[in-house]
Amino acid sequence: MRNLINILDLSINELDELISVASDIMDNPQNYADKCKGKIMGALFFEPSTRTRLSFTSAMMSLGGQVLGFDQAGSSSVAKGETVSDTVRMVSAYSDIIVMRHPKEGAPIVASKVASVPVINAGDGGHYHPTQTLTDLLTIHKKKGRFDNLTIGVCGDLKYGRTVHSLISAMSRYNNVKFVLISPSELSIPDYVKEDYLNNSKYVEVTDLEKAIPELDVLYMTRVQAERFDSVETYERLKDSYILNHSKLASAKSDLSIMHPLPRVNEIDVDVDEDSRAHYFDQAMYGRYIRMALILMLLKTHGVDDRRGTGVEIEGKVCKNPHCISNSERGIKKLFNSKSKCIYCDQ
Ligand code: NCD
């Protein structure tokens, strides 16, 4: 079974193929209208979503397929205490591909171990969000025409922002990509992202957005992730750390690409929306087409993909991350890789 849990499950060649198929779909949608006729997508959204859920639904419908599922854990048997494994076992009997969003980090790995159909991670806690990265890559391809030789500013909540973690891991594979990581120190990028993806790439960590702007080719703004904070006071103090507005863009490059996975709260003023460099609404639109390409790819590939999900138990060792699925799901083994990191959440 082929899954998409981490963006690195896709090779660079496969990313190129997805981008090329998505572009062809945009040009010739009629050629794809029946490609998934008779197929069903199970959409399991244990956490709120607008763009990801609706663009996946739109993608499957545009391919002639159908969608079932739920958009609130409260309306499923999870409310009765069902595990992720049991829910996914059932849904894989009712569908041909599963898209899942869950608040616990590593939940899609648990799902992929029991599913009999491909599993797509549509966001797991503050960990990863690989299909947002596909959308981001298509946007960078369309707007910048390249993945090499880019200076990418990533601004806001780099600690809990799962889209950032996946974007960095994807872009760190290209040549001469420099990251400018802009955040308050309390919301800086987690160590596992630095250790696993940033060692070969150049990066700097700064706190001042305006000083960073002039050198950027891409500015990726993010929302401070209210739902991941343990303390309301800390969230309130940090939520408006960065607000991009028209005047702050005065020193920016004329071909800067301003991106945001959305939803935005205050971090991009509406006065930026009219700027020709504001690409976040196009970015959301591209999500439908790249997800169509992804569904087609996963439904036609029958390879074995179990690179993740292997690890060993270490006597007495448990993951210290309170948001990790291994600490809440009943009946799963607590597994660690050769670097002693938890295989579910990487911490
Ligand atoms: C993002 C997410 O869910 O992580 N939204 C999305 O899928 N476009 C970003 C966010 O919620 O801030």
Side-chain angles (χ1 to χ4, degrees):
M1 201 57 53
R2 190 73 203 276
N3 304 299
L4 177 60
I5 308 292
N6 177 327
I7 190 69
L8 298 188
D9 293 339
L10 295 166
S11 66
I12 288 188
N13 284 345
E14 286 173 321
L15 291 177
D16 290 345
E17 185 189 330
L18 288 173
I19 287 170
S20 135
V21 171
S23 301
D24 190 54
I25 294 172
M26 291 170 76
D27 293 341
N28 305 292
Q30 69 286 353
N31 293 351
Y32 294 84
D34 290 325
K35 293 267 186 208
C36 284
K37 205 161 174 225
K39 299 283 184 197
I40 297 174
M41 187 174 89
L44 311 185
F45 280 79
F46 295 88
E47 250 194 356
S49 173
T50 305
R51 268 149 297 272
T52 305
R53 186 172 62 82
L54 295 184
S55 66
F56 262 118
T57 303
S58 168
M60 193 57 171
M61 288 175 163
S62 307
L63 292 166
Q66 289 179 291
V67 184
L68 54 76
F70 52 80
D71 57 13
Q72 309 175 27
S75 65
S76 75
S77 282
V78 171
K80 302 178 188 168
E82 187 165 63
T83 58
V84 169
S85 306
D86 284 359
T87 304
V88 167
R89 268 194 194 96
M90 292 309 108
V91 177
S92 67
Y94 307 149
S95 57
D96 302 287
I97 188 162
I98 290 178
V99 175
M100 182 177 125
R101 169 172 288 190
H102 198 280
K104 292 284 177 184
E105 301 174 10
I109 297 181
V110 171
S112 69
K113 281 169 171 278
V114 295
S116 53
V117 299
V119 173
I120 299 174
N121 177 8
D124 62 322
H127 191 210
Y128 292 136
H129 192 347
T131 69
Q132 179 61 46
T133 300
L134 293 179
T135 306
D136 301 341
L137 293 178
L138 181 56
T139 309
I140 293 172
H141 172 82
K142 295 279 181 202
K143 304 295 182 184
K144 308 298 301 177
R146 66 183 195 276
F147 293 125
D148 296 326
N149 308 317
L150 289 172
T151 298
I152 303 176
V154 191
C155 177
D157 186 348
L158 311 189
K159 179 177 182 188
Y160 297 116
R162 55 193 174 193
T163 66
V164 168
H165 306 160
S166 290
L167 180 68
I168 288 176
S169 59
M171 290 304 298
S172 65
R173 289 196 287 189
Y174 295 98
N175 295 321
N176 195 26
V177 170
K178 177 180 170 192
F179 294 99
V180 183
L181 304 174
I182 309 154
S183 75
S185 57
E186 284 155 289
L187 296 181
S188 65
I189 204 88
D191 287 344
Y192 72 88
V193 177
K194 277 191 202 164
E195 289 161 13
D196 293 347
Y197 309 115
L198 282 173
N199 45 358
N200 293 324
S201 322
K202 279 194 276 173
Y203 73 94
V204 288
E205 293 184 280
V206 299
T207 53
D208 192 322
L209 170 62
E210 279 176 89
K211 272 198 202 145
I213 282 180
E215 67 165 321
L216 304 179
D217 299 305
V218 173
L219 172 55
Y220 193 96
M221 296 296 295
T222 63
R223 172 180 74 92
V224 177
Q225 307 278 301
E227 65 275 39
R228 314 261 178 245
F229 280 74
D230 295 328
S231 131
V232 180
E233 291 73 41
T234 315
Y235 168 69
E236 289 295 326
R237 182 163 49 78
L238 296 173
K239 67 177 184 187
D240 291 328
S241 298
Y242 301 101
I243 300 177
L244 182 68
N245 58 26
H246 179 72
S247 63
K248 288 184 188 156
L249 286 167
S251 61
K253 287 187 181 172
S254 59
D255 63 349
L256 171 70
S257 189
I258 305 166
M259 296 172 60
H260 191 306
L262 303 179
R264 72 172 146 182
V265 186
N266 280 330
E267 56 281 351
I268 301 183
D269 196 292
V270 290
D271 74 6
V272 177
D273 295 0
E274 297 308 316
D275 192 303
S276 59
R277 297 166 290 187
H279 294 154
Y280 30 91
F281 294 121
D282 281 353
Q283 187 183 349
M285 181 265 294
Y286 291 136
R288 174 183 180 188
Y289 303 104
I290 199 81
R291 288 182 171 107
M292 287 172 77
L294 176 69
I295 292 168
L296 290 174
M297 178 183 273
L298 294 187
L299 283 177
K300 76 166 195 256
T301 330
H302 298 290
V304 175
D305 175 47
D306 201 12
R307 281 169 288 170
R308 196 149 298 93
T310 51
V312 293
E313 287 181 285
I314 301 176
E315 206 183 326
K317 190 171 164 82
V318 293
C319 178
K320 292 203 184 83
N321 173 7
H323 306 292
C324 178
I325 188 75
S326 69
N327 290 317
S328 57
E329 177 86 354
R330 295 187 301 280
I332 60 164
K333 288 185 177 161
K334 300 182 192 309
L335 298 172
F336 298 88
N337 67 18
S338 55
K339 292 181 186 157
S340 276
K341 287 189 185 175
C342 170
I343 64 131
Y344 298 99
C345 72
D346 298 301
Q347 297 208 29

